[in-house]
């Protein structure tokens, strides 16, 4: 009896193992935030200004370089046997926003992912090789930089968000810290957004062992951190999250879904295996919000959202997602709401479609109700002005036609015959 049970378990194990082996990775998208950097700016009373940073504001630090080199090594180990051991230009495409810190992060990452081997070593004492990183001018970036400011409807949604009960409650609860920041930093106006930038500056300085002003206590930093995280939630959620996603992160999600669907169509000429995207914390948050898997916290330096496409044993395709926000542990599996961890591609496309706009330009317009009111008001004012002009014109005509002198009969001279009539 015991031997039969053992035999059954072995059979089950072998079947499960075979099923797992049949699942083949086909394509991967990795989106990551740049590594550790200097502050983007300083507040007016900040004792540490741009000259205190080796490369100035907003630049990748050596810590950030090491973070991405390590992430590249992680990707090398994770995709061993999937990606070629040495760099193969047809297998990977890399795109970055057009900022120093994201471009350099991508380059440091690729140094860890593809250390040169054999013929790719062009200088024996340099274990590095150049790999192309593509970008577009920041003014033209529509895929990796969020929130985009070209959408009137999104601006309206943000205004509505700032009048929600949740936003007002948070603002009221932390009004003391907002006022403290205003009085201590020299900023003329402080709100959730400006407090966020102050926290970022103080956080960068603390990571690089720079002294903080006396008013910056651990309690103050914790409150600022809470407000900073809430700032991310406000941008992509809190109020009408799905509509915000359609106007922001859904742009990137739509591109990713299109690529997944494309890779599921057999094509012998298709050799691309990885799309690498180097961007920002807001990019990662925007994508995760559009997938409804955002945890509400600022993505840390070098955090990485992974989307993997698999061909299953029966020929169908499925999608698995992971989030690496801590280099000390394995990436966390992410489950798309309404689907399994290994989500069938058809279901993944169907569910995410709700967050992807087919005509963003149209959806970015302010709803017709608001436009109708504006049209009605304009027509009413125009009508009143027209009536006033008509009334004035009639008065002028009547005044010009009014007879001068006597209202009775009068003589008219016949110019031709010189007779009176």
């Amino acid at each position: 009896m015991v031997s039969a049970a053992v035999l059954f378990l072995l059979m089950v194990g072998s079947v499960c193992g075979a099923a797992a082996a049949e699942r083949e990775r086909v394509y991967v998208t990795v989106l990551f935030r740049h590594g550790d950097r200097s502050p983007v700016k300083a507040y007016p009373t900040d004792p540490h200004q741009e000259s205190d940073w080796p490369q100035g504001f907003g630049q990748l630090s050596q810590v950030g370089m090491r973070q991405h080199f390590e992430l590249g090594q992680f990707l090398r180990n994770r995709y061993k046997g999937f990606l070629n051991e040495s760099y193969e230009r047809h297998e990977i495409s890399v795109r970055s926003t057009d900022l120093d810190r994201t471009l350099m992060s991508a380059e440091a990452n690729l140094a860890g992912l593809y250390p040169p081997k054999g013929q790719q070593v062009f200088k024996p004492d340099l274990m590095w090789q150049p790999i192309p990183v593509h970008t577009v001018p920041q003014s033209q970036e529509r895929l990796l930089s969020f929130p985009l400011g070209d959408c009137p409807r999104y601006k309206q949604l943000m205004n509505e968000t700032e009048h929600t009960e949740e936003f007002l409650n948070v603002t009221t609860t932390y009004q003391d810290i907002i006022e403290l920041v205003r009085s201590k930093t020299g900023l003329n106006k402080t709100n959730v957004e400006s407090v966020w930038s102050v926290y970022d500056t103080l956080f960068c300085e603390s990571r690089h062992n720079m002294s903080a002003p006396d008013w910056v206590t651990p309690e103050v930093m914790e409150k600022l951190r809470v407000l900073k995280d809430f700032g991310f939630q406000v941008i992509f959620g809190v109020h009408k999250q799905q509509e915000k996603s359609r106007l922001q992160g859904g742009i990137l999600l739509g591109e990713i879904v299109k690529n997944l669907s494309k890779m599921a169509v057999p094509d012998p000429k298709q050799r691309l295996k990885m799309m690498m995207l180097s961007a920002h914390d807001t990019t990662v948050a925007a994508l995760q919000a559009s997938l409804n898997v955002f945890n509400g916290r600022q993505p840390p330096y070098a955090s990485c959202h992974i989307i993997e496409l698999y061909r299953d044993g029966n020929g169908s395709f499925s999608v698995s997602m992971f989030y690496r926000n801590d280099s000390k542990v394995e990436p966390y599996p992410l489950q798309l709401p309404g689907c399994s961890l290994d989500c069938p591609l058809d279901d993944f496309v169907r569910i995410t479609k709700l967050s992807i706009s087919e005509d963003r330009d149209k959806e970015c317009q302010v709803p017709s109700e608001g436009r109708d009111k504006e049209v009605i008001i304009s027509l009413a004012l125009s009508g009143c002005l027209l009536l006033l002009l008509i009334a004035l014109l009639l008065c002028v005509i009547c005044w010009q036609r009014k007879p001068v002198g006597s209202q009775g009969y009068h003589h008219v001279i016949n110019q031709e015959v010189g007779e009176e009539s």
Side-chain angles (χ1 to χ4, degrees):
M1 186 69 178
V2 175
S3 59
V6 171
L7 180 62
F8 174 76
L9 290 175
L10 290 173
M11 290 176 61
V12 170
S14 63
V15 170
C16 291
E22 289 176 356
R23 193 168 189 250
E24 177 188 7
R25 186 183 286 116
V26 175
Y27 176 71
V28 177
T29 296
V30 293
L31 166 68
F32 50 69
R33 183 191 179 191
H34 58 75
D36 180 273
R37 57 158 169 78
S38 57
V40 174
K41 59 182 179 181
Y43 52 88
T45 62
D46 194 340
H48 309 291
Q49 295 296 318
E50 186 163 17
S51 59
D52 294 315
W53 298 92
Q55 298 296 334
F57 285 149
Q59 299 300 306
L60 192 71
S61 68
Q62 290 189 336
V63 173
M65 296 173 196
R66 288 193 292 270
Q67 288 173 335
H68 266 286
F69 184 81
E70 186 274 330
L71 178 58
Q73 290 179 317
F74 164 81
L75 295 174
R76 163 51 50 200
N77 291 329
R78 182 177 180 87
Y79 298 115
K80 185 176 183 179
F82 174 66
L83 293 177
N84 197 49
E85 282 291 326
S86 57
Y87 169 64
E88 165 56 58
R89 71 182 183 90
H90 297 290
E91 283 192 349
I92 184 170
S93 178
V94 187
R95 177 167 170 176
S96 169
T97 57
D98 193 28
L99 291 172
D100 292 351
R101 59 184 177 272
T102 49
L103 290 163
M104 293 169 70
S105 291
E107 291 161 0
N109 194 303
L110 290 166
L113 178 59
Y114 287 115
K117 294 183 179 180
Q119 293 182 344
Q120 292 184 339
V121 177
F122 67 95
K123 199 171 186 303
D125 59 344
L126 179 64
M127 293 307 295
W128 174 85
Q129 62 179 318
I131 295 174
V133 178
H134 302 276
T135 190
V136 298
Q138 196 65 15
S139 60
Q140 300 174 22
E141 181 61 75
R142 292 292 180 273
L143 187 67
L144 297 177
S145 186
F146 301 105
L148 294 171
D150 62 346
C151 184
R153 174 54 182 163
Y154 176 74
K155 292 178 181 178
Q156 187 180 60
L157 288 172
M158 285 298 294
N159 182 61
E160 292 174 6
T161 303
E162 293 175 1
H163 289 83
T164 60
E165 183 179 357
E166 182 176 358
F167 184 91
L168 294 174
N169 285 343
V170 170
T171 303
T172 300
T173 301
Y174 290 91
Q175 190 59 43
D176 60 334
I177 200 72
I178 294 174
E179 286 299 318
L180 177 67
V181 169
R182 184 191 61 77
S183 64
K184 296 294 186 179
T185 61
L187 294 170
N188 295 326
K189 183 180 179 181
T190 52
N191 49 33
V192 171
E193 184 177 355
S194 60
V195 164
W196 173 7
S197 67
V198 171
Y199 172 84
D200 179 78
T201 299
L202 293 171
F203 176 77
C204 292
E205 292 171 352
S206 68
R207 285 180 65 94
H208 290 267
N209 300 316
M210 292 183 174
S211 59
D214 293 339
W215 62 272
V216 183
T217 64
E219 182 183 4
V220 166
M221 282 298 286
E222 176 58 23
K223 289 183 178 180
L224 291 176
R225 184 196 63 78
V226 172
L227 283 174
K228 175 263 301 179
D229 286 339
F230 183 65
F232 275 85
Q233 298 165 33
V234 166
I235 295 174
F236 304 114
V238 175
H239 173 67
K240 296 189 177 179
Q241 176 176 318
Q242 191 168 86
E243 186 176 0
K244 285 181 178 178
S245 293
R246 293 174 67 85
L247 305 177
Q248 298 293 339
I251 301 173
L252 175 56
L253 177 60
E255 187 70 16
I256 291 173
V257 171
K258 182 177 71 175
N259 289 338
L260 291 173
S261 300
K262 180 181 178 181
M263 293 300 167
V265 178
D267 182 359
K269 297 180 180 179
Q270 181 57 253
R271 297 163 64 182
L272 184 65
K273 291 186 176 182
M274 176 178 285
M275 174 64 72
M276 176 181 286
L277 305 171
S278 180
H280 309 269
D281 47 9
T282 51
T283 317
V284 177
L287 176 64
Q288 292 185 340
S290 68
L291 290 162
N292 202 21
V293 296
F294 180 46
N295 62 15
R297 294 188 290 275
Q298 178 187 24
Y301 293 133
S303 53
C304 182
H305 187 104
I306 302 170
I307 301 177
E308 299 177 337
L309 177 67
Y310 288 85
R311 182 186 293 108
D312 300 320
N314 59 4
S316 61
F317 289 82
S318 59
V319 179
S320 298
M321 297 192 296
F322 303 87
Y323 185 39
R324 187 179 192 261
N325 61 356
D326 186 344
S327 61
K328 298 181 179 63
V329 298
E330 286 298 303
Y332 299 100
L334 292 177
Q335 184 170 351
L336 182 70
C339 205
S340 57
L341 276 173
D342 300 328
C343 184
L345 178 59
D346 290 343
D347 291 339
F348 190 88
V349 172
R350 173 180 55 80
I351 295 170
T352 57
K353 188 176 182 179
L354 298 173
S355 296
I356 301 171
S357 174
E358 295 182 1
D359 189 345
R360 181 176 178 271
D361 289 341
K362 182 178 179 180
E363 290 190 27
C364 272
Q365 300 305 309
V366 175
S368 59
E369 181 180 347
R371 294 199 302 269
D372 289 344
K373 288 181 180 178
E374 293 178 1
V375 171
I376 291 171
I377 293 172
S378 298
L379 289 175
L381 290 174
S382 299
C384 292
L385 182 61
L386 181 61
L387 288 174
L388 180 61
L389 290 173
I390 292 173
L392 289 172
L393 182 61
L394 289 174
C395 290
V396 170
I397 293 173
C398 291
W399 180 79
Q400 287 180 340
R401 295 183 63 180
K402 182 177 179 181
V404 180
S406 172
Q407 297 296 320
Y409 291 102
H410 61 279
H411 294 288
V412 176
I413 303 298
N414 187 321
Q415 294 180 353
E416 292 183 355
V417 297
E419 294 180 351
E420 295 182 354
S421 61

